[in-house]
Amino acid sequence: ASIQGHSRGQVYAQVLKTVRHVKEVELLLAEYPPQNVKEYSRAISTFGRLCEVERALSLLHTMRSTGVAPNVYSYGAAISACGKCGQWAEALYLLDMMRAEGIEPNVICLNAVISACAKGKEWQRALLILDEMEAAGVAPTVITFNAAITACA
């Protein structure tokens, strides 16, 4: 389906980028429930931007119950939500969960976990993730090192 020449995905992405209140997201999701992993991931990311971690995690759970399998991007969005809102333990839990499901975290997911640990003053855990990252062959970036330095500050 399209809205004036734009795909549902384009409209969905644009609306989710501009919302500023949880009610707006909830109204959109009620009227146009996510249909695929990309739409779920965008909605999870939006809840994270609004620091609504419980809603983001609930949506991750809903994904599974509707038959849409989470991927590295949906987990990354949920982990970032936890990090932005200072919930480092939940970010670590999600990292373990995605690995248990056979989904290998990418540098973005791992950076988000390190950042979450930094916000939680969990420098040892942040450095442990950095070590795990290097051992797994995931190349750290400037963002990775900045987050690790912040964790140790």
Side-chain angles (χ1 to χ4, degrees), residues 40-95:
Y40 272 105
S41 298
R42 285 180 174 148
I44 291 167
S45 183
T46 301
F47 279 131
R49 182 171 48 80
L50 298 172
C51 217
E52 292 287 339
V53 176
E54 294 306 316
R55 285 183 168 96
L57 298 180
S58 175
L59 205 50
L60 188 67
H61 176 72
T62 300
M63 259 179 105
R64 285 189 193 89
S65 67
T66 61
V68 179
N71 66 11
V72 69
Y73 301 107
S74 43
Y75 269 109
I79 289 169
S80 290
C82 293
K84 288 175 188 166
C85 304
Q87 296 190 18
W88 62 270
E90 193 67 41
L92 288 170
Y93 172 76
L94 289 171
L95 180 63

Side-chain angles (χ1 to χ4, degrees), residues 72-73 76 95 98 103-112 133 138:
V72 69
Y73 301 107
L95 180 63
M98 74 185 289
I103 302 169
E104 285 302 314
N106 61 16
V107 68
I108 295 166
C109 291
L110 295 168
N111 287 349
M133 185 177 182
V138 178

Side-chain angles (χ1 to χ4, degrees), residues 132-146:
E132 289 175 9
M133 185 177 182
E134 292 180 305
V138 178
T141 65
V142 171
I143 293 168
T144 310
F145 292 121
N146 283 341

Side-chain angles (χ1 to χ4, degrees), residues 5-50:
H6 299 284
S7 73
R8 173 188 158 101
Q10 291 170 319
V11 173
Y12 215 78
Q14 190 58 40
V15 170
L16 288 174
K17 281 182 189 175
T18 60
V19 296
R20 301 214 187 294
H21 303 286
V22 173
K23 287 286 184 201
E24 294 173 302
V25 181
E26 290 175 339
L27 287 171
L28 175 70
L29 296 180
E31 191 161 342
Y32 301 101
Q35 296 179 343
N36 56 49
V37 71
K38 189 181 257 186
E39 290 177 0
Y40 272 105
S41 298
R42 285 180 174 148
I44 291 167
S45 183
T46 301
F47 279 131
R49 182 171 48 80
L50 298 172

